[in-house]
Amino acid sequence: MVPRKVDYSLYLVTDPYLVPNGTTLEEQVQKAIDGGVTLVQLREKDAETCDFIARAKAIQAITKKAGVPLLINDRVDVALAIDADGIHIGQEDIDVATARKLLGSDKIIGMSVSYVSEAAKAVEDGVDYVGIGAIYDTATKKPKKPPIGINGVRKVLSYLSSVPRYVATVAIGSLNLKTARNVVHLSAVPGRRLDGIAVVSAITAAKDPTAVSRELLGLVRDTPYWMSVVPNRDVSSVLAEVPVVISKVRLETPFVHNIINRVATNFAANVNLAIGSSPAMSENTPEFDDFAGIPNSALLINMGFGTDDWVETYLAAAGAYAKKLRPVVLDPVAAGASELRKGAVKSLLNWCHFDIIKGNEGEIFSIAGEASQMRGVDSTSNSQLQKKANVIEALASKEKTIVILTGKEDLISDGMTTFVLRNGHGYLADITASGCVLGSIVGAMVAVSLHDRFLAAVAGVLLYTIAAERAAVAPGVRGPGTFIGALIDELYILSKATADGDVSWLESARLERYVEEA
Ligand SMILES: Nc1ncnc2c1ncn2[C@@H]1O[C@H](COP(=O)(O)OP(=O)(O)OP(=O)(O)O)[C@@H](O)[C@H]1O
Ligand SMILES: Cc1ncsc1CCO
Ligand SMILES: [Mg+2]
């Protein structure tokens, strides 16, 4: 028999304990289907068999009317009793061969998997789909295994792309409005992406399951802006747009939420004001949703200080901005300097998407898994340009991000185009937090230039490094101390001049497109 075509895009998995007071599971399922749920799994871990079957019949009346398939969790007998469309089984449940024999070839059989080895077994046994997870820590089910994150999904998808038979995939485990978009689109590997997401609490416990379902379906189906890269960018056309971005910051006063270390806090806040953006420094989780909801907001995560709960704070913040479809910049300060930092960056890249990642050579190489000479928070520069360019192109492609690698020369890549920028002044390496502050400037730029993050990065670096050149020779500047004040002044002067239409300062821009020598 030809397998039926199932739409896995938005797969509701029910949990009777999560239904809000004053409503019923049946009502929640109906509302979820009204919002676009494409597949339903009835999960009743504690129900008596007679109650399970009664409820299954009630749910089936709803799903049948809508033409949505209904699967039963774990219980082949219940599935047979109501002639459901299939079952979902876990690693410790009935084996696939027995289930298939009982159900027949035209029923859907799905299985939970966490690793490639489990996926391989499930494929061999003949399942129709695998539920990959748990992606995040999930409150709805006690995790038996550590959550696998976006990288775990990538591994299973890569494996499945090499299998001749098409086995469908959904991700499961804390998929919600904050996480779904990143998981679906960031986990994609060449030739293969998730068919959908399985959602438990975000829909079952929702006050408005229709609205949540509709929004989740959009996140699954709509390709986010960060999946597409403009090919063949040339210096002159990017340069022509730089003043537009810098002016927009001054005119629109974007809100830049900095989660930043105490060394850099005051400097970064003043620099934001100098270029016309509106800074807020906060690590207070309960206000993140409000901040993310401010129009033209952007988030900078600067992991300068390692506190006990830092990763949780960063994840909460990145999630809040992801939900509002607002940009997030990562400054992985001293990313390779300690095991703690290596682990933190790894977690962040496994759970979140970043629009821009900015770091010095040591930091970026560490994230990319490349050896470098880095020690402490200082960068070194003994890699060849080519090596740097190759590393950041690969990192940008993989993470669907823009990478800025700072140093005497700054390199910026979107994975396809790489620019080398040669402005700046040695004083920038003699003061603390010069890199941190650049991260905050780039946050302001990307807040007004979401559709072109590469341009935002170029605009931020040019404004900052040319301001530094001018500050270094400004009257009264004698060294790093006086330089800091002059740098803030020059950022203010150049930003205002640009908004007033005077862009002559950009004539000193020294940048070129990096082209690998044959
Ligand atoms: N020797 C230099 N000459 C010119 N510009 C420089 C030089 N060193 C750094 N810069 C500039 O300083 C800025 C910060 O880059 P850098 O690589 O020093 O960051 P960082 O080491 O992460 O800084 P920090 O950790 O102090 O915040 C960039 O804009 C870069 O272009
Ligand atoms: C010096 C220092 N220590 C932690 S963060 C920071 C600022 C520069 O990265
Ligand atoms: Mg430095």
Side-chain angles (χ1 to χ4, degrees):
M1 180 156 190
V2 183
R4 76 181 81 195
K5 191 92 190 92
V6 180
D7 183 353
Y8 290 93
S9 304
L10 185 56
Y11 180 3
L12 168 63
V13 178
T14 65
D15 183 330
Y17 301 112
L18 293 174
V19 175
N21 287 336
T23 181
T24 63
L25 184 66
E26 287 76 5
E27 282 172 353
Q28 292 294 89
V29 170
Q30 179 63 61
K31 286 178 184 165
I33 288 175
D34 293 343
V37 158
T38 58
L39 182 62
V40 175
Q41 177 192 135
L42 182 62
R43 205 178 64 179
E44 295 281 333
K45 285 294 179 199
D46 306 316
E48 301 295 348
T49 305
C50 59
D51 297 333
F52 197 163
I53 291 174
R55 173 155 263 179
K57 282 184 178 158
I59 297 289
Q60 192 179 39
I62 297 164
T63 55
K64 267 229 166 105
K65 206 166 66 206
V68 168
L70 174 65
L71 308 186
I72 301 296
N73 179 274
D74 195 1
R75 295 280 299 269
V76 179
D77 56 339
V78 176
L80 285 170
I82 68 151
D83 190 26
D85 299 280
I87 58 164
H88 181 88
I89 52 187
Q91 289 289 322
E92 277 101 46
D93 299 334
I94 186 170
D95 64 282
V96 178
T98 309
R100 181 63 78 196
K101 212 165 101 191
L102 292 167
L103 289 167
S105 60
D106 62 332
K107 295 295 184 189
I108 304 162
I109 299 182
M111 186 172 227
S112 305
V113 304
S114 304
Y115 315 112
V116 169
S117 54
E118 291 172 353
K121 176 86 170 57
V123 169
E124 197 187 299
D125 290 348
V127 302
D128 298 291
Y129 77 87
V130 290
I132 309 170
I135 311 304
Y136 297 83
D137 266 317
T138 158
T140 52
K141 208 175 151 202
K142 279 213 181 65
K144 298 184 190 110
K145 304 164 184 161
I148 59 170
I150 291 162
N151 269 318
V153 181
R154 282 186 185 131
K155 285 178 193 159
V156 174
L157 289 177
S158 295
Y159 164 73
L160 290 176
S161 70
S162 72
V163 172
R165 185 168 70 87
Y166 191 90
V167 174
T169 55
V170 294
I172 186 161
S174 295
L175 275 287
N176 56 44
L177 293 174
K178 295 184 174 184
T179 59
R181 183 175 69 158
N182 293 346
V183 171
V184 170
H185 301 284
L186 211 45
S187 68
V189 298
R192 199 65 209 263
R193 54 160 264 176
L194 288 166
D195 295 279
I197 54 169
V199 178
V200 188
S201 59
I203 295 176
T204 310
K207 285 208 183 76
D208 186 348
T210 306
V212 172
S213 301
R214 198 170 286 142
E215 218 174 315
L216 282 169
L217 195 59
L219 295 183
V220 173
R221 289 189 173 155
D222 303 341
T223 305
Y225 62 87
W226 42 258
M227 286 296 283
S228 40
V229 177
V230 181
N232 297 320
R233 309 200 61 153
D234 64 282
V235 166
S236 56
S237 60
V238 173
L239 208 46
E241 296 295 317
V242 163
V244 178
V245 178
I246 294 171
S247 303
K248 267 186 117 178
V249 169
R250 194 150 276 295
L251 296 173
E252 295 178 11
T253 322
F255 175 81
V256 184
H257 174 182
N258 295 263
I259 300 183
I260 195 165
N261 64 78
R262 288 195 286 281
V263 177
T265 304
N266 183 273
F267 190 8
N270 275 317
V271 162
N272 269 283
L273 293 172
I275 65 170
S277 48
S278 169
M281 282 40 195
S282 168
E283 298 178 19
N284 241 332
T285 313
E287 66 185 354
F288 290 170
D289 287 323
D290 287 346
F291 282 173
I294 295 172
N296 279 354
S297 63
L299 171 70
L300 168 71
I301 295 178
N302 170 300
M303 29 176 279
F305 284 160
T307 52
D308 283 346
D309 56 355
W310 61 336
V311 173
E312 285 72 21
T313 302
Y314 300 158
L315 295 181
Y321 283 75
K323 184 176 175 186
K324 293 293 191 330
L325 313 186
R326 298 305 305 164
V328 185
V329 176
L330 175 67
D331 184 345
V333 180
S338 66
E339 290 309 312
L340 179 84
R341 282 167 191 273
K342 282 183 203 160
V345 172
K346 219 173 158 182
S347 299
L348 292 179
L349 293 178
N350 206 16
W351 311 127
C352 311
H353 172 258
F354 297 99
D355 290 278
I356 297 177
I357 300 176
K358 179 219 69 75
N360 59 36
E361 182 195 315
E363 293 156 352
I364 296 296
F365 273 47
S366 167
I367 291 180
E370 297 281 339
S372 100
Q373 314 287 60
M374 178 238 184
R375 244 191 277 116
V377 292
D378 282 325
S379 69
T380 55
S381 259
N382 37 21
S383 281
Q384 298 301 308
L385 202 58
Q386 183 178 328
K387 177 75 182 162
K388 291 190 198 177
N390 291 344
V391 166
I392 67 171
E393 280 166 14
L395 184 61
S397 290
K398 181 179 178 215
E399 302 295 345
K400 315 291 179 206
T401 193
I402 308 296
V403 178
I404 306 175
L405 191 163
T406 62
K408 197 166 185 310
E409 298 125 356
D410 302 302
L411 280 78
I412 301 176
S413 184
D414 61 12
M416 280 179 111
T417 304
T418 300
F419 280 5
V420 184
L421 298 87
R422 300 183 197 278
N423 292 97
H425 193 275
Y427 279 158
L428 283 172
D430 294 332
I431 60 172
T432 192
S434 63
C436 304
V437 163
L438 175 60
S440 196
I441 291 180
V442 164
M445 298 293 154
V446 77
V448 301
S449 178
L450 248 194
H451 63 285
D452 194 341
R453 301 169 295 149
F454 184 82
L455 167 63
V458 173
V461 171
L462 280 179
L463 177 62
Y464 189 53
T465 52
I466 294 176
E469 286 174 4
R470 296 164 57 107
V473 296
V477 172
R478 295 179 296 130
T482 39
F483 169 72
I484 292 173
L487 176 58
I488 295 172
D489 288 345
E490 288 298 332
L491 286 166
Y492 180 80
I493 290 162
L494 294 184
S495 153
K496 286 212 138 175
T498 308
D500 292 340
D502 174 9
V503 295
S504 55
W505 62 274
L506 267 172
E507 282 159 24
S508 55
R510 295 171 60 210
L511 74 167
E512 67 207 27
R513 188 176 164 168
Y514 174 77
V515 184
E516 193 161 325
E517 278 159 40

